[in-house]
Amino acid sequence: MYAALWRALPGPWPLKLVITLVLVAAVFLLLMEVVFPWVTTLMPYNDVAV
């Protein structure tokens, strides 16, 4: 799967590496800023009573 994605990217390998790093950073940022905070509100461990 990763080989097919690597072949689909344009340019020589240094450009492919830069594009891949940018995509990984974008996915990481999306997860940290949008997905994980949304999932946290759905988790049951937020309603703790001592």
Side-chain angles (χ1 to χ4, degrees):
M1 180 174 124
Y2 295 114
L5 291 173
W6 186 258
R7 283 191 302 263
L9 292 173
W13 75 266
L15 180 61
K16 290 180 181 186
L17 181 64
V18 170
I19 293 171
T20 303
L21 291 175
V22 168
L23 288 174
V24 167
V27 167
F28 177 77
L29 184 64
L30 178 72
L31 286 172
M32 291 306 231
E33 294 294 325
V34 178
V35 177
F36 292 153
W38 172 72
V39 169
T40 302
T41 61
L42 302 175
M43 300 305 280
Y45 57 79
N46 286 337
D47 301 327
V48 177
V50 177

